[in-house]
Amino acid sequence: MSPGTSLPVHRPPTGPLVSMLRVRDLAVGFGRQPGTDPVVAGVSFDIAPGECLALVGESGSGKSVTARSLLGLAGDGAWLEATELAINGSDVIGLSEAQWRRRRGRDVGLVLQDALVSLDPLRPIGREIADSLRLHTTLDRAARRARVQEVLERVGLPDGRTRVRQRSGELSGGQRQRALIASAIALDPPLLLVDEPTTALDLTVQAQILDLLESLKRHGTAILLISHDLAVVGRIADRIAVMNAGRIVEQGPAARLLASPRQEQTRRMIAAIPVDKPRGTRLAAPVDRADAPASPPAPPAFYVSAPTMPPASSASPAPAPASAPASSPVPSPVPSPGEVVLEAVGLVKTFRRPDGSDQRAVDGVSFRLARGTTLGLVGESGSGKTTTARLLLALGRPDEGEVRVLGRPFSAATERQRRRLRPELGAVYQDALSSFDPRLTVDAVLRDAVRGARHAARSGSAGRGTAARDRARVAELLDQVSLPSTLLTRRPLSLSGGQRQRVGIARALASEPQIIVCDEPVSSLDVTVQAQVLDLLDELQRERGLSLLVISHDLGVIQHASDQVAVMLDGRIVEIGATTQVFGAPQHPYTQSLLAAVPGLA
Amino acid sequence: MSDLEIQADLGRQARARSPRRRRISVAEALAGAFALFLIAAAFAPSLVAPGDPLAIDPLSAFQAPNLVHWFGTDESGRDIFTRVSHGTGGSLVIGTLATGIGLGLGIVLGTMAGMLGRIVDFTVNRFLEVLFAFPGLLLALLVILVFGPGIQTATVAVGLATAPGYARIIRAQLISVRSAAFVEAATVLGRGRWQILVRHILPNTLAPLFVLGTLGIGQAVVWASALSYLGLGAAPPAAEWGAMLSAGRTYITSAWWLAFFPGLFIVLTAVTATSLGRALERRLRHA
Amino acid sequence: MTGTAAGALRPDGAPRSARPLRARPWLAVRRSIPGLLAARLVGAVFVLWAVATITFFAIRLIPGDPAEAILGGPGSQTSPEALTAVRAQYGLDQPVLVQYLAQLGRLARGDLGRSYALRQDVAPLLVGQLGGTLLLAALALVVAWLFALVLATWSTRGGRFAWYLGSGLEIVAAALPHFWLATALIVLFSVWLGVLPPISTPGPAGLVLPVLTLAIPLAGFLGQIMRESLLTALESPFVLSARARGEGERGVRWIHALRHASLPAISLSGWAFGSLISGAVVVETIFARPGLGRTILNAVTVRDVPVVIGVVMIVAIGYILMTVITDLAQWIADPRLRRR
């Protein structure tokens, strides 16, 4: 790390530990009258130099608003109140816009998620990084350029000379995020606000970015890290504050908070993390109706005896311990092992790239899904998981190889022949909303599915009573996914993410399929909602002996939900085997590197 | 691109910006009220303006707008408000018919391009591309050159000139709906091609046509009156707005109201159509 | 959690199976200048051929004898000998295919034939008219851009009132028919205020009203487009990043937002050209300005076929040139198009 030569370098904490950021009773809102309808209230915390405080909460908990109000950027028409708000020892309450502007970038830096749009896509990154130098210093052009090179090197982007001319779209996801961090630390601000810095990044890249933040911290920068993901923050946070509905519900040292959470919300979030939770354990406290606000139920037994949760050590992220084999997976009630319900044989799918060359998105993928079990397909973005899912559902024709369902040809059949088999094969999609016709209500969506199933079964196509029977079946389906019947008249657009995914599952169940293909079924959901959906899938599998193919980029989800795991890389399956075996003793180097990057709580 | 495509695009963007607004805004209310007035004037002009649009009264010629003659009188003493009101029917009929022709052709071409495979799509697209090299009014002028001036020709000309815009919007809509995730989901559920077409693709493609039609009528009224104004559409004795404006042009130095008020109605009709189209767009999608 | 989800089941990383909804695949932005120009050239030849073909066969739908039209319309007394002579002179006694090929050959050589009504060669006639129309259209385009920029930037920073006023003005402006706007401007500036000539006199003063007439409706369209994209840009994360670096309101707008806001408006230049030409027909007629617009209107009125064809061909060439310019402008303004 080369310290900046021309600029004030970090002052390491001298003497008593002063706080770099001091917040007392912060309240922010967008109501017309200051003080009314706060979205954030009573928020207090301190961050010392070289310390990382993680603000964790689910979407809408007010964490981003909190961070932005620390820059005076809460938004148009926002009001802010606090008994104390001090950055680097000086009070910032009631600063004018011009005064704020002088501090932004110099005293406080901000790093947002998704650098593709957080850096101006039309400007070279060199200019973006040099902006704060231009605004806050009197450095001339050459000096600025030199400083930009220095900062780029510091964030691990060498070759600065060519880099500075590139734009965010020309960089890979990780490089881009580094460039964004560089633009925030160009003046080496003593306080850095980092909003979901690793969301949307692949696991291995995510680990690198966290390492970079860690090194900034060691250098003396105070970091406020905002995240929805306890597992990610556990890796670098010294202290964690959990936010819910605009308030901090629990705050404490990271190790203590993760090991023995005191508040219900914290416990739920920790329990919902699927990593290292054996197959069959519930992740969410049982809820009567999906997404109902948590009526505080007694904490399940495994919270209390949490031996798998040693104190978090921010350093070595150990690969997942092989504790899973000890607790044997809960056996499925329909264990007729050996019978293959879904089979992929040497699937190959090639796409034409825009430049005319061919890209093998799927390159010789073979696997078998046994009845009543779950096969997890895991891989990073671009590994070919989703293309595989499309081939399995016959939404595309493989160039080579074939898909067999219940031993019968599926991909090789005509669509007419396939239609007989389709009811046996359900699908759950990542973006549930777009999988519903926007004109239809939940009732119409489910009724369509039920009617389709009835036609496929050819059981009394018409006649009296069918409408009533369909209605009863819709009600039954809703019940199976724990949704209240009051939702029937709503359109999916007005439902929450978890509810939408449940409607999607209900639709998939309508034809009583034997197999369900789930493509990233929980990846756009908050952790606790994700936990409920995973529990639901697990429950349905045990009740009805479903065979599941779960596709995810999230190793935790895969580890928790699968009996068998297939690891995909560049269109191929590089490792396949029993979950316990793959996670306990990975053979392929890629699997090993993936597992090493998992930001587990351990 | 055509004016219509831009209008349709802007409507969509405005909707995205104001995700749900149930309340009727002041502008929408005004637009709705004027639309009602236009419809009343079109179907029962004497209800709105009881006088005779052709009644000549030379003694009261060239009166400026006053309490008796709200919009003033013309060179023969005819009441302009009465004439403008009675001209509503003609103007709207031309606008509606032209929109019908344009939309109809657009549906045919757009559906062909969107449904009949790559070769047809390619051909139709090239054809549309060529038509876009004729700016709207030029295409209309070409039609008039061939078939001679007159109200019917002007109507057909405006319809033909707007058809490429409709066709392209409908094609794009069809293609985006056809490849939408919910259509794939229906395939996975085992629905047949026909079922998917009838249940999902057509309704989702046709709903936006209401919006397009509303926007289109406004445009067509403007265009048709432009042709009349140029002397290629409705001829002056008729109480069509463009023709009235054209006739009033002779007197603009002394009696501006002759040309002003027919034009004002054209402008208000176009603004009303735009506002209503956008309001409709918002509500259709968020129903 | 992967934040974006374009479709429920899209091949990750792989190109979408659906064809992109690009309006002009064969005229699409290529990644290199020579590639772009080559593709353009092929496209341009095709469009010109198609325009010529469509006009040729459309003209044949005109009822009546073209030879009579040449000699002054059906009403005029013409001897059979004169008709035969004219038919031979214009090749009207040849089979249709021969006439068509001959027509294409003449067009390829730049020979637009002879005007029926004006009794002179069309090509030089139109070239003489071209300058006036181009000047008018170019000035109107510049003025429209200025109006739109001012209106869009002002209405997005002046609070609610400015917002409603700005967007209202734009919707009304976009709906103004040229013929009425021209009349209103003449009444206001020539009749009442008496500051500007009501017909287009040579010199800058004569240009003001025609340019305003063309620019105001165009500015209404461009302004709406710019405001929408300006708002999108101002709400985007990169603007938040810039503010967090200490960038002020002016910097945010000038360095970041306006550039993004102008992209969609630039892409509409081809359309803007077409609408300006349509407008020129009306404006040149009202202000009695010589130009292509007035020429084609007169030609349509007297059914002077060669002149109409000539103007259509020139406008088609102009449209094609405009799309090339548009693509180049986009290529310069948006570096993302230049990648790889």
Side-chain angles (χ1 to χ4, degrees):
Chain A
M1 204 153 304
S2 59
T5 45
S6 48
L7 287 151
V9 194
H10 254 310
R11 356 160 223 257
T14 49
L17 203 69
V18 288
S19 74
M20 189 56 76
L21 174 67
R22 193 174 164 79
V23 181
R24 287 292 173 277
D25 292 322
L26 174 74
V28 187
F30 298 92
R32 297 205 168 192
Q33 301 288 315
T36 55
D37 303 328
V39 292
V40 168
V43 165
S44 303
F45 55 80
D46 291 88
I47 308 180
E51 190 191 31
C52 173
L53 171 72
L55 208 50
V56 181
E58 306 206 322
S59 45
S61 60
K63 49 192 196 309
S64 287
V65 174
T66 305
R68 275 157 214 197
S69 57
L70 299 177
L71 279 161
L73 288 173
D76 278 341
W79 54 262
L80 180 150
E81 284 173 355
T83 51
E84 197 177 350
L85 189 59
I87 295 172
N88 207 1
S90 62
D91 191 17
V92 296
I93 299 178
L95 286 189
S96 72
E97 175 62 21
Q99 288 166 321
W100 266 121
R101 225 177 281 151
R102 254 171 270 137
R103 287 170 182 272
R104 292 179 199 143
R106 204 188 60 192
D107 293 351
V108 197
L110 173 69
V111 178
L112 293 167
Q113 65 173 331
D114 195 1
L116 182 61
V117 286
S118 296
L119 288 167
D120 190 335
L122 296 183
R123 294 182 84 210
I125 59 167
R127 293 247 184 103
E128 293 276 284
I129 297 169
D131 264 356
S132 39
L133 303 172
R134 174 174 56 80
L135 291 161
H136 298 292
T137 69
T138 53
L139 296 179
D140 63 4
R141 197 173 273 264
R144 291 205 297 256
R145 210 175 298 146
R147 175 68 188 160
V148 168
Q149 302 290 345
E150 221 175 272
V151 178
L152 278 174
E153 228 158 87
R154 205 174 144 194
V155 297
L157 274 181
D159 291 332
R161 251 162 242 299
T162 52
R163 286 268 179 258
V164 290
R165 276 193 294 268
Q166 288 178 313
R167 291 169 179 83
S168 63
E170 296 165 74
L171 303 173
S172 72
Q175 290 171 337
R176 221 181 265 153
Q177 198 66 29
R178 285 170 195 273
L180 182 62
I181 293 175
S183 77
I185 64 167
L187 276 170
D188 218 349
L191 174 63
L192 197 58
L193 312 179
V194 192
D195 194 347
E196 305 273 10
T198 60
T199 307
L201 291 181
D202 277 332
L203 212 49
T204 41
V205 183
Q206 180 175 319
Q208 292 163 10
I209 297 295
L210 290 177
D211 285 345
L212 172 59
L213 291 176
E214 177 80 40
S215 79
L216 289 175
K217 195 176 87 170
R218 275 202 303 274
H219 182 59
T221 307
I223 295 180
L224 178 66
L225 173 64
I226 288 164
S227 180
H228 67 282
D229 191 342
L230 267 174
V232 164
V233 305
R235 191 156 164 163
I236 66 162
D238 301 300
R239 285 185 306 118
I240 297 178
V242 178
M243 276 193 92
N244 189 24
R247 290 172 183 275
I248 290 183
V249 292
E250 183 166 6
Q251 185 170 186
R256 198 278 297 158
L257 190 126
L258 291 174
S260 52
R262 294 193 183 128
Q263 294 298 317
E264 176 56 30
Q265 170 68 13
T266 321
R267 273 199 288 262
R268 277 204 296 154
M269 286 182 71
I270 293 176
I273 299 169
V275 184
D276 289 343
K277 301 279 164 55
R279 189 114 160 70
T281 41
R282 288 192 67 90
L283 300 175
V287 201
D288 296 340
R289 282 289 173 231
D291 297 358
S295 49
F302 60 87
Y303 288 135
V304 187
S305 62
T308 52
M309 207 100 44
S313 59
S314 54
S316 66
S323 61
S327 56
S328 58
V330 178
S332 311
V334 200
S336 52
E339 193 198 340
V340 175
V341 289
L342 178 66
E343 187 179 13
V345 190
L347 293 179
V348 173
K349 183 76 183 174
T350 309
F351 288 106
R352 175 91 14 114
R353 286 206 195 87
D355 60 11
S357 66
D358 283 347
Q359 178 197 358
R360 287 207 154 190
V362 174
D363 190 4
V365 163
S366 304
F367 58 78
R368 292 170 166 190
L369 174 63
R371 178 179 294 283
T373 67
T374 302
L375 172 66
L377 198 57
V378 69
E380 304 197 322
S381 58
S383 61
K385 314 184 290 288
T386 297
T387 309
T388 308
R390 293 178 62 85
L391 294 179
L392 292 177
L393 295 171
L395 288 172
R397 204 170 260 282
D399 299 333
E400 285 169 40
E402 78 162 321
V403 176
R404 299 178 74 84
V405 171
L406 300 175
R408 280 179 276 174
F410 193 64
S411 64
T414 65
E415 182 63 37
R416 187 176 283 277
Q417 296 165 324
R418 238 188 332 253
R419 223 167 282 150
R420 298 243 176 98
L421 274 174
R422 289 238 184 241
E424 305 294 348
L425 188 65
V428 174
Y429 309 90
Q430 170 178 9
D431 180 9
L433 182 60
S434 72
S435 78
F436 301 124
D437 189 327
R439 294 177 315 111
L440 302 185
T441 59
V442 171
D443 187 36
V445 165
L446 293 181
R447 221 174 259 239
D448 267 9
V450 166
R451 218 173 286 145
R454 179 156 48 76
H455 284 303
R458 299 192 198 292
S459 60
S461 51
R464 253 178 294 150
T466 43
R469 243 177 288 144
D470 285 356
R471 210 175 307 133
R473 176 78 181 123
V474 167
E476 195 186 333
L477 286 171
L478 269 192
D479 196 53
Q480 278 172 13
V481 296
S482 305
L483 284 176
S485 57
T486 48
L487 294 187
L488 278 177
T489 54
R490 305 260 294 271
R491 268 167 231 274
L493 187 65
S494 68
L495 301 183
S496 72
Q499 288 170 331
R500 285 172 193 165
Q501 202 52 285
R502 281 168 193 268
V503 175
I505 294 172
R507 175 176 62 180
L509 290 173
S511 60
E512 310 213 14
Q514 303 189 38
I515 313 154
I516 296 186
V517 174
C518 308
D519 182 41
E520 300 275 9
V522 292
S523 66
S524 49
L525 304 176
D526 273 330
V527 229
T528 52
V529 182
Q530 163 177 323
Q532 292 166 5
V533 171
L534 288 177
D535 283 350
L536 173 66
L537 285 173
D538 190 54
E539 213 173 274
L540 289 169
Q541 175 168 45
R542 267 182 289 160
E543 279 170 13
R544 4 196 95 237
L546 285 172
S547 315
L548 295 177
L549 184 91
V550 176
I551 294 173
S552 179
H553 69 286
D554 187 332
L555 282 165
V557 168
I558 293 291
Q559 185 189 11
H560 170 73
S562 325
D563 301 300
Q564 299 267 315
V565 180
V567 182
M568 277 192 86
L569 171 68
D570 296 337
R572 295 164 195 270
I573 291 181
V574 294
E575 183 160 2
I576 187 165
T579 308
T580 50
Q581 190 190 323
V582 172
F583 278 77
Q587 299 300 307
H588 195 275
Y590 177 69
T591 319
Q592 289 163 358
S593 72
L594 264 188
L595 285 174
V598 175
L601 293 178
Chain B
M1 272 289 168
S2 64
D3 304 20
L4 206 72
E5 283 170 273
I6 296 168
Q7 285 282 12
D9 241 33
L10 281 168
R12 269 194 293 277
Q13 285 174 12
R15 169 175 54 83
R17 199 160 293 292
S18 61
R20 48 191 53 208
R21 199 177 60 189
R22 299 267 154 156
R23 245 167 9 121
I24 293 175
S25 73
V26 180
E28 283 167 15
L30 286 176
F34 189 70
L36 286 179
F37 170 81
L38 285 181
I39 291 168
F43 283 100
S46 15
L47 213 71
V48 176
D52 179 354
L54 299 173
I56 295 174
D57 180 9
L59 287 180
S60 52
F62 291 124
Q63 282 191 16
N66 55 48
L67 284 176
V68 183
H69 302 287
W70 296 349
F71 289 180
T73 58
D74 69 4
E75 71 275 16
S76 326
R78 293 175 293 197
D79 181 62
I80 293 180
F81 178 73
T82 312
R83 281 178 60 73
V84 167
S85 302
H86 283 256
T88 308
S91 297
L92 284 194
V93 165
I94 295 174
T96 313
L97 281 179
T99 308
I101 293 171
L103 199 53
L105 276 173
I107 290 174
V108 171
L109 285 174
T111 314
M112 277 167 60
M115 302 300 291
L116 295 184
R118 263 160 202 268
I119 296 171
V120 179
D121 185 28
F122 182 85
T123 316
V124 171
N125 257 323
R126 294 299 75 73
F127 179 61
L128 293 179
E129 190 52 47
V130 170
L131 288 187
F132 276 109
F134 296 90
L137 197 56
L138 247 58
L139 199 56
L141 286 181
L142 202 62
V143 175
I144 288 169
L145 171 74
V146 173
F147 298 106
I151 296 184
Q152 287 94 336
T153 320
T155 310
V156 173
V158 171
L160 283 178
T162 48
Y166 287 114
R168 228 160 50 182
I169 299 174
I170 290 162
R171 169 186 175 271
Q173 178 75 15
L174 254 179
I175 287 177
S176 85
V177 171
R178 212 183 43 186
S179 58
F182 61 83
V183 168
E184 292 190 337
T187 311
V188 170
L189 284 175
R191 317 317 298 274
R193 278 173 67 107
W194 263 116
Q195 285 171 308
I196 292 177
L197 187 73
V198 172
R199 178 78 171 147
H200 299 295
I201 297 182
L202 287 184
N204 278 292
T205 313
L206 294 179
L209 292 188
F210 285 101
V211 178
L212 273 188
T214 312
L215 293 172
I217 287 181
Q219 302 251 306
V221 166
V222 172
W223 283 42
S225 54
L227 289 178
S228 299
Y229 177 86
L230 295 172
L232 302 170
E240 195 265 353
W241 295 336
M244 290 174 65
L245 206 166
S246 178
R249 195 165 37 138
T250 328
Y251 308 101
I252 49 168
T253 46
S254 53
W256 54 270
W257 53 91
L258 260 63
F260 180 81
F261 287 106
L264 185 68
F265 265 56
I266 298 171
V267 175
L268 287 179
T269 306
V271 173
T272 299
T274 310
S275 312
L276 286 187
R278 292 198 187 164
L280 206 59
E281 166 97 38
R282 259 200 300 278
R283 278 167 181 67
L284 269 182
R285 302 292 172 96
H286 290 292
Chain C
M1 211 205 260
T2 48
T4 53
L9 253 181
R10 287 277 166 236
D12 36 20
R16 291 178 51 135
S17 52
R19 278 157 282 155
L21 303 180
R22 179 164 277 163
R24 307 182 299 268
W26 50 282
L27 289 181
V29 177
R30 294 296 189 276
R31 290 215 159 94
S32 68
I33 295 267
L36 175 110
L37 291 180
R40 282 297 183 193
L41 201 65
V42 176
V45 170
F46 168 76
V47 169
L48 289 177
W49 165 77
V51 166
T53 307
I54 290 174
T55 12
F56 177 82
F57 287 102
I59 298 296
R60 294 196 63 82
L61 292 175
I62 299 179
D65 187 344
E68 266 180 23
I70 293 169
L71 286 174
S76 54
Q77 295 296 322
T78 46
S79 63
E81 297 76 40
L83 283 177
T84 321
V86 165
R87 285 199 191 102
Q89 185 195 342
Y90 287 85
L92 296 172
D93 48 357
Q94 305 281 319
V96 176
L97 194 64
V98 174
Q99 288 186 43
Y100 167 65
L101 290 176
Q103 167 89 335
L104 285 188
R106 279 196 300 276
L107 288 179
R109 286 195 307 274
D111 177 3
L112 296 173
R114 236 178 122 70
S115 161
Y116 298 168
L118 304 170
R119 311 279 169 204
Q120 53 176 311
D121 281 343
V122 172
L125 173 82
L126 293 184
V127 168
Q129 309 277 14
L130 191 59
T133 304
L134 280 184
L135 178 68
L136 187 63
L139 280 177
L141 191 62
V142 172
V143 172
W145 264 86
L146 285 179
F147 280 0
L149 268 176
V150 169
L151 207 57
T153 41
W154 173 74
S155 71
T156 47
R157 77 178 303 177
R160 277 178 94 75
F161 173 73
W163 165 271
Y164 280 116
L165 189 65
S167 58
L169 274 179
E170 283 160 4
I171 290 182
V172 173
L176 287 176
H178 293 117
F179 54 89
W180 185 69
L181 181 60
T183 315
L185 288 175
I186 290 173
V187 168
L188 185 62
F189 289 101
S190 309
V191 180
W192 290 356
L193 300 175
V195 288
L196 290 166
I199 58 163
S200 190
T201 52
L207 263 172
V208 175
L209 290 185
V211 166
L212 278 182
T213 307
L214 280 180
I216 289 173
L218 187 57
F221 275 108
L222 291 178
Q224 293 181 64
I225 292 156
M226 276 187 210
R227 205 189 38 234
E228 287 297 337
S229 40
L230 190 60
L231 282 173
T232 311
L234 285 175
E235 284 162 9
S236 61
F238 62 80
V239 162
L240 183 62
S241 292
R243 289 190 205 277
R245 287 193 291 264
E247 192 73 81
E249 193 58 34
R250 193 176 304 161
V252 161
R253 275 163 191 266
W254 285 102
I255 298 176
H256 299 279
L258 274 178
R259 196 163 167 197
H260 286 264
S262 59
L263 289 180
I266 289 176
S267 73
L268 288 179
S269 305
W271 161 82
F273 171 80
S275 99
L276 285 171
I277 293 296
S278 288
V281 174
V282 176
V283 168
E284 288 172 357
T285 307
I286 293 181
F287 292 99
R289 248 185 88 78
L292 288 183
R294 195 151 73 111
T295 308
I296 191 176
L297 182 67
N298 289 336
V300 167
T301 319
V302 301
R303 296 209 165 183
D304 192 346
V305 172
V307 173
V308 175
I309 294 181
V311 175
V312 166
M313 294 306 291
I314 286 182
V315 169
I317 292 171
Y319 177 81
I320 290 165
L321 284 178
M322 200 63 197
T323 46
V324 174
I325 293 170
T326 306
D327 277 359
L328 285 176
Q330 281 181 294
W331 209 76
I332 288 163
D334 189 349
R336 286 170 292 188
L337 296 174
R338 276 178 258 166
R339 201 164 302 146
R340 257 167 279 140

